[in-house]
Amino acid sequence: MDASNLDALTRDALDHYLFPLVSQQDVRSDGPMIFTSADGMEITDAGGKTYLDMMSSHTRASSLGYGQERIARAIYEQLMQLHYAGTVSNVADVTVRLAAKMADLAPGSLTATLYGGSGSEANEMSIKLAKQYHVAKGDKPRAHKIISRWDSYHGATMGVIGCTDYLGTRTITEPGVPGYSRIPPPTLYRTPFGMDPSEVCDFCVDFLEQHIIHEGPETVAAFIAEPVMQGDGVQVPPDDYFARVKAVCDKYDVLFIGDEVITGFGRCGYWFALEHWGVEPDIMSTAKSITAGYFPLGASTASRRVADALPVFNHVQTYNGHPGACAAALATIDILESDNLIEHGRETGAYFLDQMQRLRDLPIVGDVRGLGMWTCIDFAADKKTKAPFTDDTVKAITRRMADLGVLGGEEGTAIEFGPAFIATREMVDRTVDVAEQAIREVMADRNLG
């Protein structure tokens, strides 16, 4: 694209596109990243620069990389055959086939699925399912409260934003829907109240139980949690945390909603991240990698117990189970299975995390962690106190990596990587080398360490 056309495109972007969740001033000063094409693991911007995309299009959704013709063709063929079937009691055959496949893949008795258009919508449906379940069952007809965790992210629509405590999307819209509360998360680097990591699991599980008691078990519908939290980068819980959480929820007839929007469909090395700990949620939300980013789709999958309790699920959207989206999901699942990409991603992710260990020696690197194809570098202005940077140091490192041709994602105190599952070890090696170079250059420029 020549300079005049690039300038015009940039001007149109700044004048006519409302960039979400980013300072409009920053976009104008730094310029937007406008992409025009991509293939495999590489994405090219409007200026002609090509990057190695190690963040799956920033949101971790593009889990199979770019240019997957099998998915694109499946969408095309479905749209030509039947592009829309309606909703309520109308459903497309492809939507039914995907629901049956979901029942095969999902843990345990998770067996009944309804579809929306995003992760936020998936969590909206999951919360509605939980509330309506208690009303229909009759034992807890007043159960409307939802418990989530500090620094969690569950979406930005008004029904789920009360669960969300990250990215600043909740407080600006308050007051919101009543009935939401949040408890400490089991973070192991910057722990709740600075406690020893060995104390975190007991504390957080006990806190959940006491919070349910305090709120009144008869009023609490569900506890919702990301298996691995995104806040400040890839927060992997203690190994026994979720099994104990599920036991507490069962004790008080509180449904456990597993928010697998990011972690589902292979991101963490298994079909669903809760499989790492052998835990089956009562309701599971998925999106992102369900279609590898090729079509908007979110899903809420309920256990047989929950689904059978509902005489009717009072919820509807125009595009519930859109045929094109469901065709994309079935094609994505077929590729994951036929190409053995979840196992490949699990192995490559373990290699990635192992290679990142050398970065711990850098004076401003506080932690490196990950699970499957999702890793991060967490930075500390003071390694002894684990105090985070309060300036733009993390952003500067992320930008320098982009200058060097590798895209990571700034995530609060951390830079994270969530590459497509097709990533190779050579790509991992390049990413770690570029990260180290960028960190060292920013340190030298700012006299850090």
Tab-separated table of all heavy atoms in Angstrom, residues 16-44:
chain	number	residue	atom	x	y	z
A	16	HIS	N	-13.181	7.469	12.213
A	16	HIS	CA	-14.467	6.786	12.080
A	16	HIS	C	-14.596	5.467	12.825
A	16	HIS	O	-15.703	4.929	12.910
A	16	HIS	CB	-14.765	6.539	10.592
A	16	HIS	CG	-14.738	7.785	9.765
A	16	HIS	ND1	-15.554	8.863	10.012
A	16	HIS	CD2	-13.954	8.139	8.706
A	16	HIS	CE1	-15.301	9.822	9.131
A	16	HIS	NE2	-14.334	9.406	8.338
A	17	TYR	N	-13.485	4.952	13.358
A	17	TYR	CA	-13.564	3.697	14.114
A	17	TYR	C	-13.337	4.019	15.584
A	17	TYR	O	-12.358	4.692	15.937
A	17	TYR	CB	-12.530	2.683	13.625
A	17	TYR	CG	-12.616	1.361	14.359
A	17	TYR	CD1	-13.664	0.482	14.110
A	17	TYR	CD2	-11.675	1.006	15.323
A	17	TYR	CE1	-13.768	-0.727	14.795
A	17	TYR	CE2	-11.766	-0.196	16.006
A	17	TYR	CZ	-12.817	-1.047	15.740
A	17	TYR	OH	-12.920	-2.231	16.418
A	18	LEU	N	-14.230	3.544	16.447
A	18	LEU	CA	-14.089	3.772	17.875
A	18	LEU	C	-13.321	2.603	18.489
A	18	LEU	O	-13.844	1.506	18.651
A	18	LEU	CB	-15.471	3.894	18.533
A	18	LEU	CG	-15.481	4.221	20.031
A	18	LEU	CD1	-14.780	5.550	20.310
A	18	LEU	CD2	-16.915	4.260	20.561
A	19	PHE	N	-12.063	2.827	18.781
A	19	PHE	CA	-11.210	1.771	19.324
A	19	PHE	C	-11.603	1.471	20.768
A	19	PHE	O	-11.641	2.381	21.603
A	19	PHE	CB	-9.738	2.186	19.253
A	19	PHE	CG	-9.187	2.215	17.864
A	19	PHE	CD1	-9.290	3.351	17.080
A	19	PHE	CD2	-8.576	1.090	17.321
A	19	PHE	CE1	-8.792	3.372	15.787
A	19	PHE	CE2	-8.079	1.101	16.032
A	19	PHE	CZ	-8.186	2.247	15.260
A	20	PRO	N	-11.907	0.203	21.091
A	20	PRO	CA	-12.336	-0.132	22.457
A	20	PRO	C	-11.159	-0.384	23.390
A	20	PRO	O	-10.097	-0.854	22.967
A	20	PRO	CB	-13.149	-1.413	22.251
A	20	PRO	CG	-12.487	-2.072	21.074
A	20	PRO	CD	-12.006	-0.951	20.188
A	21	LEU	N	-11.346	-0.053	24.647
A	21	LEU	CA	-10.461	-0.439	25.753
A	21	LEU	C	-9.038	0.110	25.619
A	21	LEU	O	-8.100	-0.420	26.183
A	21	LEU	CB	-10.417	-1.968	25.885
A	21	LEU	CG	-10.050	-2.518	27.260
A	21	LEU	CD1	-11.080	-2.126	28.303
A	21	LEU	CD2	-9.878	-4.017	27.209
A	22	VAL	N	-8.878	1.155	24.867
A	22	VAL	CA	-7.559	1.760	24.723
A	22	VAL	C	-7.746	3.264	24.664
A	22	VAL	O	-8.740	3.765	24.138
A	22	VAL	CB	-6.850	1.244	23.456
A	22	VAL	CG1	-7.600	1.638	22.189
A	22	VAL	CG2	-5.412	1.727	23.390
A	23	SER	N	-6.819	3.978	25.247
A	23	SER	CA	-6.895	5.428	25.247
A	23	SER	C	-6.907	5.955	23.816
A	23	SER	O	-6.015	5.634	23.024
A	23	SER	CB	-5.697	6.012	26.006
A	23	SER	OG	-5.514	7.369	25.708
A	24	GLN	N	-7.919	6.762	23.511
A	24	GLN	CA	-7.976	7.339	22.167
A	24	GLN	C	-6.753	8.217	21.905
A	24	GLN	O	-6.252	8.290	20.772
A	24	GLN	CB	-9.269	8.149	22.003
A	24	GLN	CG	-10.546	7.370	22.328
A	24	GLN	CD	-10.688	6.085	21.527
A	24	GLN	OE1	-10.584	6.083	20.304
A	24	GLN	NE2	-10.916	4.975	22.221
A	25	GLN	N	-6.245	8.852	22.950
A	25	GLN	CA	-5.033	9.659	22.810
A	25	GLN	C	-3.836	8.796	22.444
A	25	GLN	O	-3.016	9.167	21.591
A	25	GLN	CB	-4.755	10.418	24.108
A	25	GLN	CG	-3.515	11.315	24.047
A	25	GLN	CD	-3.296	12.083	25.344
A	25	GLN	OE1	-4.192	12.182	26.181
A	25	GLN	NE2	-2.105	12.609	25.508
A	26	ASP	N	-3.739	7.613	23.097
A	26	ASP	CA	-2.623	6.714	22.782
A	26	ASP	C	-2.703	6.219	21.343
A	26	ASP	O	-1.679	6.102	20.657
A	26	ASP	CB	-2.635	5.509	23.732
A	26	ASP	CG	-2.152	5.862	25.127
A	26	ASP	OD1	-1.636	6.979	25.315
A	26	ASP	OD2	-2.308	5.023	26.031
A	27	VAL	N	-3.913	5.900	20.882
A	27	VAL	CA	-4.058	5.441	19.509
A	27	VAL	C	-3.622	6.520	18.537
A	27	VAL	O	-2.963	6.255	17.527
A	27	VAL	CB	-5.513	5.009	19.217
A	27	VAL	CG1	-5.693	4.682	17.736
A	27	VAL	CG2	-5.888	3.798	20.053
A	28	ARG	N	-3.972	7.754	18.839
A	28	ARG	CA	-3.605	8.854	17.937
A	28	ARG	C	-2.105	9.140	17.980
A	28	ARG	O	-1.511	9.475	16.953
A	28	ARG	CB	-4.400	10.106	18.292
A	28	ARG	CG	-5.880	9.980	17.951
A	28	ARG	CD	-6.673	11.258	18.139
A	28	ARG	NE	-8.056	11.039	17.713
A	28	ARG	CZ	-8.475	11.119	16.472
A	28	ARG	NH1	-7.613	11.431	15.504
A	28	ARG	NH2	-9.742	10.898	16.164
A	29	SER	N	-1.499	8.992	19.149
A	29	SER	CA	-0.070	9.283	19.245
A	29	SER	C	0.786	8.132	18.724
A	29	SER	O	1.803	8.353	18.052
A	29	SER	CB	0.318	9.613	20.692
A	29	SER	OG	0.079	8.495	21.532
A	30	ASP	N	0.379	6.887	19.031
A	30	ASP	CA	1.173	5.728	18.617
A	30	ASP	C	0.765	5.187	17.265
A	30	ASP	O	1.526	4.473	16.620
A	30	ASP	CB	1.048	4.605	19.652
A	30	ASP	CG	1.526	5.032	21.028
A	30	ASP	OD1	2.361	5.936	21.101
A	30	ASP	OD2	1.054	4.444	22.024
A	31	GLY	N	-0.485	5.512	16.866
A	31	GLY	CA	-1.019	4.979	15.620
A	31	GLY	C	-1.657	3.623	15.822
A	31	GLY	O	-1.164	2.808	16.609
A	32	PRO	N	-2.749	3.331	15.142
A	32	PRO	CA	-3.375	2.011	15.230
A	32	PRO	C	-2.596	0.987	14.415
A	32	PRO	O	-1.882	1.341	13.478
A	32	PRO	CB	-4.756	2.242	14.624
A	32	PRO	CG	-4.534	3.335	13.624
A	32	PRO	CD	-3.475	4.228	14.217
A	33	MET	N	-2.713	-0.277	14.801
A	33	MET	CA	-2.153	-1.354	13.978
A	33	MET	C	-3.268	-1.841	13.074
A	33	MET	O	-4.241	-2.451	13.534
A	33	MET	CB	-1.613	-2.482	14.850
A	33	MET	CG	-0.430	-2.080	15.707
A	33	MET	SD	0.398	-3.498	16.504
A	33	MET	CE	1.358	-4.158	15.131
A	34	ILE	N	-3.156	-1.566	11.795
A	34	ILE	CA	-4.164	-1.973	10.814
A	34	ILE	C	-3.576	-3.099	9.980
A	34	ILE	O	-2.570	-2.928	9.294
A	34	ILE	CB	-4.551	-0.788	9.910
A	34	ILE	CG1	-5.048	0.390	10.757
A	34	ILE	CG2	-5.623	-1.214	8.907
A	34	ILE	CD1	-5.312	1.653	9.954
A	35	PHE	N	-4.202	-4.258	10.046
A	35	PHE	CA	-3.694	-5.428	9.341
A	35	PHE	C	-4.494	-5.672	8.064
A	35	PHE	O	-5.703	-5.411	8.005
A	35	PHE	CB	-3.750	-6.656	10.242
A	35	PHE	CG	-2.867	-6.546	11.459
A	35	PHE	CD1	-3.404	-6.382	12.727
A	35	PHE	CD2	-1.492	-6.596	11.331
A	35	PHE	CE1	-2.593	-6.279	13.848
A	35	PHE	CE2	-0.659	-6.489	12.434
A	35	PHE	CZ	-1.218	-6.328	13.695
A	36	THR	N	-3.820	-6.182	7.069
A	36	THR	CA	-4.460	-6.379	5.766
A	36	THR	C	-4.427	-7.823	5.269
A	36	THR	O	-5.243	-8.199	4.431
A	36	THR	CB	-3.786	-5.491	4.710
A	36	THR	OG1	-2.380	-5.808	4.659
A	36	THR	CG2	-3.962	-4.012	5.047
A	37	SER	N	-3.497	-8.642	5.770
A	37	SER	CA	-3.412	-10.021	5.289
A	37	SER	C	-2.627	-10.855	6.295
A	37	SER	O	-1.939	-10.316	7.170
A	37	SER	CB	-2.735	-10.093	3.911
A	37	SER	OG	-1.397	-9.617	3.992
A	38	ALA	N	-2.752	-12.166	6.162
A	38	ALA	CA	-2.037	-13.062	7.066
A	38	ALA	C	-1.964	-14.449	6.445
A	38	ALA	O	-2.780	-14.819	5.596
A	38	ALA	CB	-2.738	-13.122	8.418
A	39	ASP	N	-0.994	-15.225	6.914
A	39	ASP	CA	-0.848	-16.608	6.460
A	39	ASP	C	-0.067	-17.382	7.507
A	39	ASP	O	0.988	-16.915	7.964
A	39	ASP	CB	-0.121	-16.670	5.117
A	39	ASP	CG	-0.031	-18.090	4.578
A	39	ASP	OD1	-1.085	-18.713	4.375
A	39	ASP	OD2	1.097	-18.566	4.394
A	40	GLY	N	-0.581	-18.533	7.889
A	40	GLY	CA	0.112	-19.349	8.873
A	40	GLY	C	0.225	-18.631	10.209
A	40	GLY	O	-0.772	-18.328	10.852
A	41	MET	N	1.441	-18.335	10.619
A	41	MET	CA	1.697	-17.633	11.877
A	41	MET	C	2.068	-16.173	11.667
A	41	MET	O	2.404	-15.480	12.624
A	41	MET	CB	2.836	-18.335	12.629
A	41	MET	CG	2.494	-19.698	13.180
A	41	MET	SD	1.432	-19.614	14.647
A	41	MET	CE	2.524	-18.817	15.814
A	42	GLU	N	2.011	-15.709	10.432
A	42	GLU	CA	2.456	-14.348	10.133
A	42	GLU	C	1.288	-13.459	9.728
A	42	GLU	O	0.372	-13.899	9.015
A	42	GLU	CB	3.508	-14.368	9.025
A	42	GLU	CG	4.798	-15.065	9.446
A	42	GLU	CD	5.876	-14.963	8.381
A	42	GLU	OE1	5.518	-14.909	7.178
A	42	GLU	OE2	7.069	-14.925	8.735
A	43	ILE	N	1.344	-12.209	10.178
A	43	ILE	CA	0.311	-11.238	9.865
A	43	ILE	C	0.977	-9.960	9.387
A	43	ILE	O	2.018	-9.547	9.905
A	43	ILE	CB	-0.603	-10.989	11.098
A	43	ILE	CG1	-1.795	-10.114	10.728
A	43	ILE	CG2	0.179	-10.429	12.283
A	43	ILE	CD1	-2.882	-10.080	11.808
A	44	THR	N	0.396	-9.334	8.366
A	44	THR	CA	1.009	-8.183	7.695
A	44	THR	C	0.144	-6.951	7.877
A	44	THR	O	-1.084	-7.009	7.712
A	44	THR	CB	1.196	-8.475	6.199
A	44	THR	OG1	2.016	-9.640	6.055
A	44	THR	CG2	1.859	-7.301	5.486
